[in-house]
Amino acid sequence: MRLFSIFVAFAIALGACAPSRTVVGGPASVPPPSDTRPSTPVTPEPIPAAEPAEDAASAIPSAPERWWLLDPVTDGVYGTGVDRAYRELLAGKAPRDTIVVAIIDSGVDIEHEDLDDILWVNKGEIPGNGRDDDGNGYVDDVHGWNFIGGRDGRHVHQDTYEVTRLYARYRHRFEGANPDTFSASVREEYERYREVEAAFRAKREENARMLQQIRMMDQAVDRFTAVLKAHLGVDSLSAERVAAIRSPRSDIIQAQQVYLQLAANGISPEMIDEELKRLEELEEYGLNPDFDPRPIVGDNYDDPTERVYGNPDVRGPSADHGTHVSGIVAAERENGIGIDGIAPAVRIMVIRAVPDGDERDKDVANAIRYAVDNGARIINMSFGKSFSPEKRAVDDAVRYADEKGVLMVHAAGNDGADLGTEPNYPNRWYLDGGSARLWIEVGASSWEGPDRLAAPFSNYGREKVDVFAPGAAILSTVPGSRYQANSGTSMAAPVVTGIAALLMSYFPELSAEEVRRIILESATRYPDQWVLRPGSDGEKVRFGDLSVTGGIVNAYEAVRMAEEVVRRKR
């Protein structure tokens, strides 16, 4: 998804360039946008576009600080009202329960300064003694478990896409074969192979195109950066330095505009370099049918019922994504450093099951079961894919969690696609019919509204996505006790998870089903607000057509509703 944001921001930056304009005047700034405030939360009036600014820097909008925690009524921002809930409804009150939240992801930096005190600890396990002290089958699982690691301590870092694995499996049987010789049953499999082959080749072609584009973009940004550094006589750049530039030279003005537009979207030259590396690795690993890292794990991969394998190292080789997700949910509040997570009384259970590539169904199913069996009340799943060959195993695990009263929160995905027509896994819908009750599917909203209320990358679906939550330019924790703004439905899901944990901690009388209902019913609805359809070239749709609720989660209203539900119970 970050790649999508880079492409959009770069296109806007180039489109906004006005190299012939002479910029004059005093020091410029990058103020919060004045045209993004919702006037009436339920049905906001259209907000007129701002007048063109006199200089490049002031014309570039940026996300308001901590915008996802702000309130649509009191702050005029399309946030969740978390700060308002604490200020007006929860002041002087303490959480009455501590909630275990399982983060199924890439791993978490358990030594991060803003996370180290909120980790789940398996009290039945003696750290590092090499024994399964609590008898749950997992040795030394102090903070969780790693289902994509080997007993020898190695890890799966890169892995293939599921479509790549399916293509590799089928091609050995069907590549070059004559379908006229197949029986009816084999022909059905062959048609499946053709479908997978087409999807695989399309994915490789798409990656090749994006790789070419971002290489050109990388070269252009290098040129712009060199121009700015030479003009300022410095070795490094900052938005403040670049915004203060006043020059009649068109090349400097263009470089300034591009740099500031990218910066306003949280995109740095280093991030573009990271995306270039990611696409190159995708070509080398994710879309390489000859690459198979699974032997590292040492399990019987063909047995989806196998439960115990992996190792206790929950950080793994690349914990950026899981660390960011964890911080959104529960980074230590009011500790004077970093950021504030949404929920105040949480213990993060780390379950590593997502590599750099597509997660495998067997690992997802086992991660869900591990979370349930070890006391998680909520499971956050900020991952997804387009194929699920062992969906029945995942369905069984989801059904198990549902029966045990565990709330599952899943990110809808970042393809700008309609989930009514494009599959995304895992999901709540069982192959044998029916669906999970305790599941929330989350799309990503933006601070930029009103017509950009839905983030441009977010998946959506009138019957498949339950609700939207802030998922653009979300600042959170990353490894090494650092902080970074990221975008994606991967960020929106933990916003919902955090609100759910907040409700459970202050109102332990509520069941998971009641918490789910409160979150959906209290969402701020914008049913008739016309927005740009995610993934489109300017087509507008009603926001109410993008999800079941047509709304954005609202912690303030959720707490108010929870208070009323609990009052009625008493």
Side-chain angles (χ1 to χ4, degrees):
M1 190 295 316
R2 181 185 289 179
L3 181 62
F4 184 92
S5 295
I6 291 173
F7 284 157
V8 170
F10 193 74
I12 292 172
L14 291 180
C17 290
S20 61
R21 176 181 292 176
T22 300
V23 181
V24 295
S29 62
V30 187
S34 61
D35 63 334
T36 61
R37 300 168 63 88
S39 53
T40 305
V42 175
T43 54
E45 294 295 324
I47 300 175
E51 291 297 317
E54 286 301 314
D55 60 64
S58 64
I60 297 171
S62 60
E65 186 176 356
R66 302 172 76 254
W67 74 270
W68 61 98
L69 304 179
L70 302 182
D71 188 80
V73 174
T74 60
D75 300 306
V77 177
Y78 291 95
T80 62
V82 169
D83 285 352
R84 185 185 179 195
Y86 279 111
R87 185 174 63 247
E88 297 183 16
L89 302 176
L90 300 174
K93 300 177 182 178
R96 295 161 54 208
D97 198 3
T98 298
I99 308 304
V100 177
V101 174
I103 304 293
I104 301 177
D105 215 291
S106 64
V108 172
D109 179 3
I110 60 176
E111 297 178 351
H112 194 289
E113 63 181 7
D114 235 356
L115 299 175
D116 53 359
D117 289 336
I118 53 94
L119 295 170
W120 173 73
V121 176
N122 183 353
K123 295 180 180 179
E125 201 72 25
I126 299 173
N129 70 350
R131 295 209 300 252
D132 178 22
D133 300 292
D134 62 355
N136 69 350
Y138 301 94
V139 175
D140 288 336
D141 58 325
V142 177
H143 298 300
W145 193 251
N146 174 13
F147 282 100
I148 50 175
R151 294 193 180 202
D152 59 1
R154 291 187 298 158
H155 301 278
V156 172
H157 183 184
Q158 288 90 5
D159 204 344
T160 49
Y161 277 7
E162 195 67 70
V163 69
T164 307
R165 296 192 283 266
L166 287 171
Y167 172 71
R169 181 193 306 175
Y170 281 127
R171 71 168 178 171
H172 294 300
R173 183 177 183 187
F174 293 119
E175 192 172 46
N178 180 4
D180 294 335
T181 64
F182 296 156
S183 65
S185 60
V186 174
R187 181 177 287 276
E188 185 176 336
E189 278 193 87
Y190 176 75
E191 292 304 322
R192 174 66 168 162
Y193 160 68
R194 294 289 301 274
E195 176 189 346
V196 167
E197 181 186 33
F200 169 72
R201 295 194 182 284
K203 199 74 176 176
R204 284 192 56 159
E205 291 170 4
E206 177 190 31
N207 190 71
R209 287 195 303 271
M210 290 192 299
L211 191 53
Q212 182 181 26
Q213 290 172 356
I214 204 163
R215 280 172 176 158
M216 294 173 61
M217 190 184 306
D218 186 52
Q219 293 170 2
V221 169
D222 284 347
R223 289 197 303 271
F224 291 138
T225 300
V227 167
L228 294 173
K229 287 180 178 179
H231 176 74
L232 292 170
V234 297
D235 294 327
S236 62
L237 299 174
S238 68
E240 292 76 16
R241 279 179 172 176
V242 174
I245 291 175
R246 295 295 177 272
S247 173
R249 286 175 47 186
S250 61
D251 61 331
I252 293 176
I253 295 171
Q254 184 184 42
Q256 179 193 45
Q257 289 178 315
V258 170
Y259 183 93
L260 292 176
Q261 182 66 56
L262 293 175
N265 285 273
I267 296 168
S268 64
E270 292 76 20
M271 191 179 294
I272 294 175
D273 288 339
E274 289 175 8
E275 285 303 309
L276 177 58
K277 179 182 177 182
R278 186 185 69 82
L279 290 174
E280 290 173 340
E281 289 183 347
L282 185 56
E283 184 176 57
E284 183 177 358
Y285 302 112
L287 294 170
N288 179 1
D290 297 318
F291 176 66
D292 180 15
R294 191 65 185 192
I296 290 173
V297 178
D299 65 324
N300 179 6
Y301 182 60
D302 293 328
D303 179 8
T305 66
E306 183 182 12
R307 298 274 183 266
V308 181
Y309 56 91
N311 68 46
D313 184 350
V314 295
R315 174 166 179 156
S318 180
D320 292 61
H321 193 272
T323 303
H324 199 274
V325 166
S326 298
I328 295 170
V329 176
E332 297 169 39
R333 293 184 59 81
E334 300 179 353
N335 63 350
I337 59 174
I339 64 164
D340 286 340
I342 291 173
V346 162
R347 292 296 177 263
I348 294 293
M349 176 190 293
V350 186
I351 308 177
R352 185 168 182 263
V354 183
D356 186 358
D358 275 349
E359 62 282 353
R360 297 179 184 238
D361 292 335
K362 178 180 179 178
D363 302 331
V364 172
N366 282 326
I368 292 172
R369 289 181 180 275
Y370 179 94
V372 175
D373 289 341
N374 288 280
R377 299 278 303 282
I378 308 170
I379 300 174
N380 189 92
M381 296 180 282
S382 290
F383 55 83
K385 58 184 180 179
S386 300
F387 292 87
S388 182
E390 297 294 339
K391 178 167 167 55
R392 290 191 187 280
V394 180
D395 283 355
D396 288 345
V398 169
R399 187 178 279 110
Y400 180 64
D402 210 50
E403 292 170 350
K404 295 292 185 178
V406 177
L407 182 63
M408 293 163 280
V409 182
H410 183 249
N414 305 313
D415 301 308
D418 182 355
L419 295 187
T421 58
E422 299 291 333
N424 186 47
Y425 304 99
N427 56 47
R428 66 157 60 91
W429 310 100
Y430 301 134
L431 284 176
D432 58 4
S435 63
R437 297 174 301 112
L438 304 180
W439 184 286
I440 303 178
E441 191 78 12
V442 187
S445 60
S446 167
W447 54 271
E448 293 185 86
D451 64 345
R452 297 179 185 273
L453 196 55
F457 51 80
S458 180
N459 287 350
Y460 57 93
R462 183 67 183 84
E463 297 178 351
K464 300 294 186 179
V465 173
D466 292 302
V467 71
F468 276 66
I474 308 297
L475 182 68
S476 187
T477 47
V478 291
S481 292
R482 296 178 298 112
Y483 302 84
Q484 179 175 295
N486 288 337
S487 299
T489 58
S490 284
M491 284 67 252
V495 169
V496 176
T497 294
I499 294 174
L502 185 156
L503 295 177
M504 289 182 179
S505 64
Y506 278 94
F507 307 100
E509 303 92 336
L510 298 174
S511 67
E513 188 168 11
E514 288 172 320
V515 168
R516 179 184 184 274
R517 178 176 60 80
I518 288 170
I519 287 173
L520 299 187
E521 291 185 2
S522 65
T524 305
R525 283 161 167 74
Y526 304 93
D528 297 320
Q529 174 64 53
W530 288 92
V531 300
L532 294 170
R533 181 175 64 79
S536 74
D537 293 326
E539 176 191 351
K540 288 197 173 184
V541 296
R542 287 183 176 86
F543 190 69
D545 292 332
L546 299 180
S547 69
V548 174
T549 62
I552 296 173
V553 291
N554 187 318
Y556 175 82
E557 295 297 340
V559 170
R560 283 185 57 185
M561 188 175 291
E563 289 177 332
E564 181 59 32
V565 171
V566 170
R567 189 178 299 116
R568 289 200 301 266
K569 283 189 171 191
R570 293 170 181 164

